Amino acid sequence: MKLIVQIPCYNEEATLALVVACIPRSIPGISKVEIQIIDDGSTDRTVEIARLCGVDHIVQNGRNKGLARSFQKGIESALALGADIIVNTDGDNQYSGGSIPDLVKPILEKQADIVVGDRKPGDNPEFSWLKRQLQKLGTRVVRNLSGVDVGDAVSGFRAYTREAAFTINVMTRFSYTTETLIHAGQHGLTVLSVPVETNPTTRPSRLAGSTYRFMKKQIVTILRSYFMYRSLNAFLWAGLIMITVGLLPVLRFLYFYAIGDGEGRLQSLVLGSMFLLAGYITVVIAFLSDALATNRRLTEAVLERVRRLEQQPSASEKQSDANEPLRIVGRSHDSV
């Protein structure tokens, strides 16, 4: 059982050595632990520090592409390296490496496909009161939309099985945390939360310049993911509500028109017609969006199959290496 711990990094020379040092190299149930960093165009000594610390694999972006894309690139690299379990942590030493065994335990026991480290953000004294409340609200929203029970939806400290990693497709540049949870819920993956230890904050988050911008980007990501997977429900209900609202003034006008008192009540007809037209268009959008969502699911299935096919040569090479001693023995026997 091979575990790869990946660390997306952008200018983390001050903390990377500590992060790497705290990652356990021996975990019960794991035969091999390797460390991989994804350098997102750092301009400091991050890559040099990684080499000095004995990091096993270094993946470099040519330029800064954002956390989400670095995360996706790391997942694809870890799969190519034959990882059975992939743990993602941050390069700022926010998460304690000592909690990695707790993260992978439910996977080793075959209880989960994805395990999310729960920092207990609602009780974290490192967070301001406003941030704690926003974290609670955001987690509640993601839990309802995704259908998975998590206590810390934006935690980047996570463990994935190889099978779960094959299905990951991150579209946003901002952050993968909420999008992948909604994705996991739609694909029927089992997601569990486990409490994890955190370290004192070393620097402000670089995901957004302020809490307002962070929440704004998270809301956009959540809505995009929701409409991507549940567009029929979202637009259909909105359209039906508008149609219902539009019918009321139209029926009112028809009633008065039928009894000969329709003069001067054209406003009801115009208003109702506007709502009916808007509702009709929204219902049409609902079905078109559902067709696009179906196409996305088919595309994801194709991408997953392509990823699996890309891994087959590696499996064949391993089998060939395993058979090599048998061919040598055979030739020795013939020579005798």
Side-chain angles (χ1 to χ4, degrees), residues 108-233:
L108 292 174
E109 295 175 348
K110 301 188 182 303
Q111 296 178 356
D113 301 300
I114 300 173
V115 182
V116 180
D118 186 356
R119 300 167 294 174
K120 301 294 182 184
D123 304 320
N124 194 328
E126 293 279 338
F127 296 165
S128 66
W129 180 87
L130 177 61
K131 188 173 182 178
R132 289 199 299 269
Q133 302 310 310
L134 290 175
Q135 289 274 24
K136 288 180 180 179
L137 176 62
T139 295
R140 191 177 302 116
V141 170
V142 173
R143 185 188 299 129
N144 292 334
L145 293 181
S146 64
V148 298
D149 188 14
V150 293
D152 188 1
V154 297
S155 170
F157 198 24
R158 303 181 176 193
Y160 299 84
T161 65
R162 183 175 180 84
E163 294 300 310
F166 271 122
T167 70
I168 293 175
N169 294 293
V170 181
M171 297 291 106
T172 180
R173 285 190 59 186
F174 170 58
S175 177
Y176 58 89
T177 52
T178 55
E179 182 178 348
T180 50
L181 283 179
I182 296 174
H183 172 94
Q186 294 302 309
H187 284 73
L189 300 177
T190 302
V191 182
L192 293 182
S193 290
V194 297
V196 295
E197 298 294 328
T198 58
N199 298 314
T201 302
T202 56
R203 60 165 175 76
S205 172
R206 296 190 183 125
L207 280 179
S210 65
T211 301
Y212 169 76
R213 291 185 60 189
F214 177 81
M215 292 303 300
K216 179 181 176 182
K217 290 182 178 181
Q218 286 287 17
I219 290 171
V220 170
T221 299
I222 291 171
L223 290 177
R224 181 190 293 129
S225 300
Y226 181 71
F227 288 131
M228 193 177 296
Y229 290 107
R230 297 188 180 183
S231 54
L232 182 62
N233 290 340

Side-chain angles (χ1 to χ4, degrees), residues 17-76:
L18 184 58
V19 174
V20 173
C22 293
I23 295 174
R25 288 287 192 160
S26 178
I27 299 175
I30 302 293
S31 58
K32 192 172 187 180
V33 178
E34 295 180 355
I35 301 174
Q36 166 183 272
I37 74 159
I38 305 93
D39 175 51
D40 192 23
S42 296
T43 57
D44 63 359
R45 298 174 59 244
T46 294
V47 174
E48 180 183 347
I49 295 295
R51 292 194 177 102
L52 291 174
C53 291
V55 167
D56 301 280
H57 311 286
I58 299 176
V59 180
Q60 290 183 270
N61 294 334
R63 56 184 176 81
N64 185 266
K65 296 183 178 181
L67 176 60
R69 293 187 181 179
S70 296
F71 167 81
Q72 180 75 55
K73 192 169 185 177
I75 290 291
E76 293 172 357

Side-chain angles (χ1 to χ4, degrees), residues 59-105:
V59 180
Q60 290 183 270
N61 294 334
R63 56 184 176 81
N64 185 266
K65 296 183 178 181
L67 176 60
R69 293 187 181 179
S70 296
F71 167 81
Q72 180 75 55
K73 192 169 185 177
I75 290 291
E76 293 172 357
S77 173
L79 287 172
L81 292 167
D84 297 297
I85 302 175
I86 303 170
V87 167
N88 185 87
T89 189
D90 287 351
D92 61 357
N93 198 39
Q94 175 185 179
Y95 306 107
S96 172
S99 293
I100 291 178
D102 297 326
L103 274 183
V104 302
K105 184 178 179 182

Side-chain angles (χ1 to χ4, degrees), residues 259-305:
I259 64 175
D261 192 23
E263 186 177 353
R265 302 183 186 275
L266 288 177
Q267 297 91 336
S268 296
L269 180 62
V270 172
L271 180 62
S273 298
M274 290 176 59
F275 273 99
L276 287 175
L277 180 60
Y280 170 76
I281 293 174
T282 304
V283 169
V284 172
I285 291 174
F287 286 101
L288 290 176
S289 300
D290 186 60
L292 292 175
T294 300
N295 184 65
R296 174 183 167 84
R297 286 190 288 269
L298 292 173
T299 302
E300 288 180 342
V302 171
L303 288 173
E304 181 180 346
R305 179 169 294 185

